Structure formats: structure tokens, C-alpha cells
Amino acid sequence: MSIVEEIKRRKTFGIISHPNAGKTTLTEKLLLFGGAIKTAGAVKSNKINQHATSDFMEIEKQRGISVSTSVMGFEYNGLKINLLDTPGHQDFAEDTYRTLTAVDSVIMIIDCVKGVEIQTEKLMEVCRMRNTPVISFINKLDREGRDPYELLDEIEDKLSIEVRPLSWPIGMGKSFKGVYSLFNKKLILFTPSKTKIDNDDFVEIEDINSEILEQYIGENDANQLREDVELIEGIYPDFEINDYLEGKLAPVFFGSAVNNFGVRELLDSFIKIAPIPKPRHTELREILPAEDKFSGFIFKIHANIDPRHRNRIAFLRVCSGKFERKKNYFHVRQNKNLRFSNATAFMAQNKETIDEAFPGDIVGLYDTGNLKIGDTITEGEKGIFKGIPSFSPEIFREVENLDAMKSKQLDKGLRQLMDEGVAQLFTFEMGARKVVGTVGQLQFEVIQHRLKHEYGATCRFRQINLFKACWIAGDDKKKVDELIKSKYRHIARDKDGKLVFMAETKQWLMMVQENFPDVEFHFTSEY
Ligand code: G4P
């Protein structure tokens, strides 16, 4: 198969949702349809028990499970589908943000009872930054949920994206009868079943006004459906695939993942409309997937679960050309050649050694400390892929070494954990104080635990009050230097040596911004 044909048959995506909306369930159903797993229950939830946030066994379990379910590849209708898992726990949000840089589209699940929840809002912000195409799946229709029109309005308001329903529910909860597919003009009838794989019994209905409709759903629901369809066609614009592909419009499907309902329809529509691997930008130029030469970037690093071996798995997204095992490749940041002799592909839950991979694929590379998140690997070209930003953490703590004899181990451990993206390290210009920033409280416990068990270093985290880390920039270098001089005590460097202003409060940041109008303060490292 030519490289162009390989690219055309690849769809790489992620599922995003607020915890409990049904991500694990939907993932499992998609894998069942793809034939990648045979029985329900095979995909373990990678959720950390919400009530046991300081349970280390849970954290370790999470690390173990998430290696095997990080990337799930399967074949469906002649296509190669790569589903990238995103951690459900909000404390791992940063990991999810980065994974989203490696997908070409996402499916967003919304719980019909709860509507748009906070984590979904945050994840959608990241999708919007990159104009990622989004399909929305409104789940749990077997429960008494909110009015579908209200849910659609909420998606548009809270997530700042236009919607276009491509299916419409008939009833809800106890009276849920199924959905009408506006996309395929067919009626899909609901029978609750958690065990039947294919639960979509459907009837083709060319004309919604035909009396066949009454036979299946009764007069009341038939009339209601006709009214709804008329209304939808009236208020929502026609579905334009390009608006979806540009990230401006989210097609919406309704279903019930746990009952295997609406999932086949979602998957079949997904493979028709979801994008194939797209061109990506490096600092130097646009890279097209079909180019001869291989290129890719690292978006995730996973420490080996066996602490005695420092091996790590780096996840590489192939962006162009063909990746070949045992070939020498160029590590742009380190300016040196590397060879990956035991590259791994991810098929459903198994890892297997692969000889080649194509754009859209994710390759697991065993690494002993050469790679870090954001690294670019090429066949010699020097540009680094853009679009893998760091986001300002929410919680900051100062690192205090508790064993002076082990400061080297502590530094090394911190550096390696930061390379993995567990958290972000900021080193103050004054006094070289080290501050770790995270999205959630849980990371501090993970770091402390891993520093002790993997590096033999002990530390404490001292509470400090910081509002945000702001990456600073400006066209006028003199003004930037003035700010640095005037606020020297609050200037730090991030892992790449970039200058960051550590703002203590929102009000104070606003004041500083007023006093230095020519300096830009950014909450992300790429702007
Ligand atoms: P997550 O990965 O997004 O966190 O969600 P997960 O799939 O684990 O689903 C969260 C809960 O919602 C699970 O129930 C799951 O069974 C349920 N669920 C998923 N889809 C549907 C649906 O279509 N209808 C209904 N009614 N429930 C659904 P749980 O009680 O937390 O776990 P379990 O014991 O059922 O596995």
C-alpha cells in the first residue's frame, strides 16, 4: 500500500469527558465493534478512586493500567483507528491536554442528566486552541435527563461551538424509544441490553411522514418526532462537513453507551466524517503527512512501572513519512542520531513490536532518558514541531530537600519526572528556589512517593501562594528587561529556560500588566 493510501485509512482520535460521563464504557464498546476485544469488562477503568486520592496503590495501579490502555489501535471497515486514552482524573489534566496535541479529532461525551461539566469545558478550550474537530455524543439516554434542546444550547453557550444534531432522541429515560438518524434517515429502536453487542435495530425511513413511523413508536411519539425534525431542520443550518473539520461546528449524536445503543451509528458516522492525519507545523515550515521523510514528536512519557529499571516508554506521534524500526533518526533538541530497535505499536490492549508506522500512528519507544515531552524526531530536518504548550499550573509548592546527602538524586529525580510531564518545575532566578507546579493536589503525593522509591530522595513541599505562572514576551526587549529588573524576586525559568513571571495574585498581575503595557503575560508557554 502506498503511503498516501496508508494515510487515507487512518483516523486518530481521543475521547474527552468529565469523569463518569461514560468514557470507559464508550471506549469499550468501540473496541468491541472493532473486534479488538471479545468481552465487555476487558477495558479497565483508569479512574483513580475519587475518594482515595492519597492511596498510593491506586496511583501505581493507574500508572500500570494507563500504559496498556494509552493507545488502542484497531481495524474497522478497512480503516486503522487509533484511539488515544486521556486520563479521567482531573489532577492529570495536563497529560490529557498534551495527548490532545497528538489526535486529529475528538469525541466529546456529555451526560444527558448533568449536561456540560467543568472538566469538559477545560478540555474543549484546548480543542479550540487547535481547532480540533469535535463530535459530541450525548450519553445515558436511558435515564431521565435534561431536555435535548436545552442540552444543545448549553453546549453552544458553555463550549463556544456551534452544534448540529445528526440524530434525535425519541423520549428519554423510561419512555426512551430510540433515536432518529437525521444523517442516515433511519429509525434506530432501543431495547435495553448491556450484553448484546449490536443493539441498534433499525428501520430505514425515507419519508418521516410515512405511517410506518406510527407502527414502531406510536402516534404520540411519531407526531412529536415529526415536529422535532421540522424544528431542527428549521433552526440549525445544514451539516457542512468543512465547518466540522475546521472545528467550528460539532455534530451531535444521542445514545446510551452502556446499552450499546447509538454507538454503532456514532462509529459509522465518525469513520465517514472524521479527518485523516493533517499537515502540522514546525518552527520552520508546514510538514505534509505524505512527505517521503519521516518526522514525529513525543507527547507523552511513561516511566516503567518497575522502579528498578529506569526504562521509560515515550509515545511518538508519526506526522510524516514512514517510521522504520532500527533506522537511525535525528533527535533535534539534542542534535544527535538515535536508533530505536524495540519500537512498539499499540493494538487494543497489547503492545507488539512493529517494523513500520505511518502518519497518525503512535509508536512506543523505549528510552533511557534521552527523550522528553515535546521532542521532535526526524530524518535530519531541524525544525521542532509547534503546538505542545505547557499551561500555567494551578497549585504551586516549593521543594525542600530533607536529605542534604541526596541532593543530586533529588535533582535528577525531579528533572526526570518533569521530562515525563508529571508536573512543571520553575527555578527562581534569585536563590535558585525550586517550585513545582501542578494541576491537582495528587501530583505532589505522586512526586514525593516516586522520588523516594525510584531515586532514594526525600523532600517536603512547602505551601506558597501563587496565582499563575506567566510566560513573558514582548517586541521591545528593553521593556521586558525593565520588568525583569523591577520584579527580579518574582522571575523564574521553566524547564526550557524560558522566562516566567510568578504572579502572586490576580489583582497584582493586573497591576503589573498596567505598569508594563508593552510586556505580554501568557498563561501558556506557546502563544
Ligand atoms: P468515565 O470513564 O467517563 O469516568 O465513565 P464510565 O464509563 O466509567 O461510566 C461511569 C458510570 O456511568 C458507570 O456506572 C457506567 O456504567 C455508567 N454509564 C455509562 N454509560 C451509561 C449509559 O448509557 N446509561 C447509564 N444509565 N449509565 C451509563 P458505575 O455505576 O459508576 O459503574 P459500573 O459499576 O456500572 O461499571
Side-chain angles (χ1 to χ4, degrees):
M1 214 183 280
S2 74
I3 178 152
V4 174
E5 284 166 328
E6 290 285 2
I7 293 167
K8 277 195 182 150
R9 68 181 208 99
R10 273 166 171 78
K11 308 257 175 181
T12 301
F13 77 109
I15 302 180
I16 57 172
S17 73
H18 191 86
N20 268 329
K23 186 160 64 69
T24 312
T25 314
L26 182 65
T27 301
E28 179 166 282
K29 305 301 173 183
L30 293 174
L31 294 183
L32 275 169
F33 286 139
I37 55 169
K38 297 280 173 283
T39 50
V43 177
K44 297 193 185 59
S45 166
N46 70 358
K47 276 183 293 189
I48 290 181
N49 183 344
Q50 312 265 325
H51 309 292
T53 45
S54 53
D55 181 340
F56 295 119
M57 283 319 290
E58 284 291 337
I59 297 167
E60 292 300 296
K61 227 161 55 191
Q62 150 87 19
R63 291 211 293 137
I65 292 166
S66 57
V67 167
S68 56
T69 59
S70 285
V71 182
M72 291 160 276
F74 60 95
E75 299 271 335
Y76 185 74
N77 273 9
L79 299 179
K80 168 88 191 292
I81 317 271
N82 294 312
L83 168 52
L84 274 56
D85 189 34
T86 51
H89 198 288
Q90 61 175 23
D91 285 11
F92 290 89
E94 181 87 19
D95 202 1
T96 301
Y97 301 158
R98 280 187 303 254
T99 298
L100 292 180
T101 65
V103 302
D104 296 309
S105 70
V106 305
I107 292 180
M108 166 177 79
I109 310 180
I110 303 232
D111 181 329
C112 76
V113 182
K114 297 199 171 136
V116 175
E117 295 170 88
I118 182 77
Q119 193 62 10
T120 319
E121 283 184 55
K122 287 192 184 163
L123 293 168
M124 262 304 291
E125 262 175 48
V126 180
C127 292
R128 270 202 313 273
M129 277 173 74
R130 307 183 55 246
N131 300 325
T132 310
V134 176
I135 291 178
S136 182
F137 181 71
I138 299 190
N139 191 26
K140 307 198 185 179
L141 266 283
D142 58 317
R143 287 202 180 156
E144 304 296 335
R146 308 228 320 252
D147 174 62
Y149 292 106
E150 204 185 296
L151 287 167
L152 294 178
D153 285 350
E154 192 175 76
I155 297 177
E156 290 201 325
D157 284 353
K158 286 196 177 166
L159 304 179
S160 312
I161 188 162
E162 281 181 46
V163 295
R164 174 54 159 109
L166 290 187
S167 74
W168 194 254
I170 303 156
M172 210 183 245
K174 282 201 189 77
S175 61
F176 181 53
K177 296 212 171 116
V179 295
Y180 177 69
S181 167
L182 298 149
F183 192 51
N184 296 318
K185 304 261 176 289
K186 62 186 188 189
L187 181 68
I188 306 161
L189 298 167
F190 175 68
T191 38
S193 165
K194 293 187 185 177
T195 46
K196 236 168 87 182
I197 288 194
D198 220 339
N199 211 10
D200 291 353
D201 288 334
F202 62 86
V203 189
E204 305 262 355
I205 295 196
E206 278 192 16
D207 177 6
I208 194 161
N209 292 316
S210 114
E211 278 170 18
I212 311 174
L213 199 57
E214 268 83 352
Q215 281 175 30
Y216 288 98
I217 56 175
E219 199 181 324
N220 286 350
D221 281 325
N223 286 336
Q224 180 66 46
L225 179 65
R226 287 184 190 116
E227 251 177 56
D228 284 336
V229 170
E230 199 185 323
L231 194 62
I232 293 159
E233 305 289 2
I235 45 179
Y236 293 102
D238 284 348
F239 174 63
E240 287 289 340
I241 189 159
N242 282 333
D243 288 345
Y244 155 68
L245 292 174
E246 285 165 19
K248 293 183 197 148
L249 178 123
V252 180
F253 294 86
F254 292 83
S256 168
V258 81
N259 291 297
N260 292 319
F261 184 76
V263 178
R264 170 81 74 188
E265 204 219 335
L266 174 72
L267 182 58
D268 286 343
S269 309
F270 167 84
I271 60 167
K272 274 193 205 134
I273 63 173
I276 57 172
K278 286 185 286 196
R280 290 184 174 247
H281 289 269
T282 67
E283 303 156 320
L284 303 178
R285 65 181 186 95
E286 185 180 63
I287 308 274
L288 304 176
E291 289 183 21
D292 281 347
K293 295 227 160 100
F294 157 78
S295 68
F297 66 88
I298 308 292
F299 64 95
K300 180 181 174 107
I301 292 197
H302 220 294
N304 203 315
I305 318 137
D306 181 354
R308 284 165 302 169
H309 300 100
R310 285 279 160 71
N311 279 357
R312 313 192 282 185
I313 299 179
F315 291 74
L316 173 120
R317 147 96 198 203
V318 182
C319 296
S320 69
K322 179 159 92 169
F323 172 88
E324 286 172 82
R325 191 162 70 92
K326 292 191 177 160
K327 204 165 162 179
N328 272 325
Y329 286 119
F330 182 61
H331 185 324
V332 180
R333 180 177 53 86
Q334 289 188 337
N335 199 21
K336 71 175 186 192
N337 283 328
L338 288 179
R339 178 199 287 247
F340 304 101
S341 44
N342 47 6
T344 318
F346 301 90
M347 286 306 283
Q349 295 186 293
N350 304 319
K351 292 202 285 307
E352 56 189 43
T353 306
I354 46 138
D355 292 318
E356 52 183 39
F358 295 92
D361 285 342
I362 310 300
V363 179
L365 303 173
Y366 285 90
D367 169 51
T368 47
N370 281 312
L371 299 172
K372 67 180 184 181
I373 287 171
D375 278 350
T376 295
I377 311 286
T378 68
E379 266 184 59
E381 192 166 321
K382 291 211 159 130
I384 289 185
F385 278 103
K386 294 203 292 191
I388 310 140
S390 301
F391 295 83
S392 173
E394 313 268 332
I395 308 174
F396 299 85
R397 300 269 186 273
E398 188 172 342
V399 185
E400 241 183 282
N401 187 2
L402 291 181
D403 184 351
M405 306 290 287
K406 297 276 171 66
S407 56
K408 261 200 180 144
Q409 283 87 333
L410 180 68
D411 281 352
K412 183 173 179 191
L414 274 175
R415 204 176 53 243
Q416 293 205 343
L417 293 183
M418 300 305 130
D419 288 352
E420 271 178 44
V422 175
Q424 293 179 56
L425 185 70
F426 299 93
T427 310
F428 275 88
E429 292 282 85
M430 205 171 98
R433 282 159 61 210
K434 286 188 166 56
V435 168
V436 169
T438 68
V439 181
Q441 188 63 43
L442 188 56
Q443 258 83 355
F444 293 104
E445 291 159 28
V446 175
I447 296 167
Q448 236 169 2
H449 176 76
R450 290 190 55 194
L451 282 173
K452 185 149 189 258
H453 292 267
E454 294 171 35
Y455 300 89
T458 42
C459 74
R460 190 163 51 206
F461 286 108
R462 205 163 59 83
Q463 189 111 11
I464 50 169
N465 282 332
L466 280 175
F467 163 60
K468 285 267 154 86
C470 309
W471 280 266
I472 45 187
D475 292 333
D476 190 342
K477 191 172 173 307
K478 240 175 80 191
K479 301 276 188 217
V480 176
D481 288 345
E482 260 172 44
L483 166 90
I484 294 171
K485 214 166 138 204
S486 134
K487 300 282 174 269
Y488 193 63
R489 272 175 0 99
H490 307 278
I491 301 293
R493 288 194 186 264
D494 76 356
K495 62 173 181 356
D496 301 318
K498 286 191 188 154
L499 283 167
V500 179
F501 173 66
M502 307 294 270
E504 282 172 8
T505 63
K506 195 173 176 180
Q507 290 71 17
W508 188 54
L509 173 63
M510 279 158 65
M511 239 173 65
V512 175
Q513 173 77 85
E514 262 172 41
N515 294 339
F516 293 88
D518 300 315
V519 179
E520 298 161 26
F521 296 83
H522 299 278
F523 291 159
T524 58
S525 65
E526 242 178 47
Y527 26 86

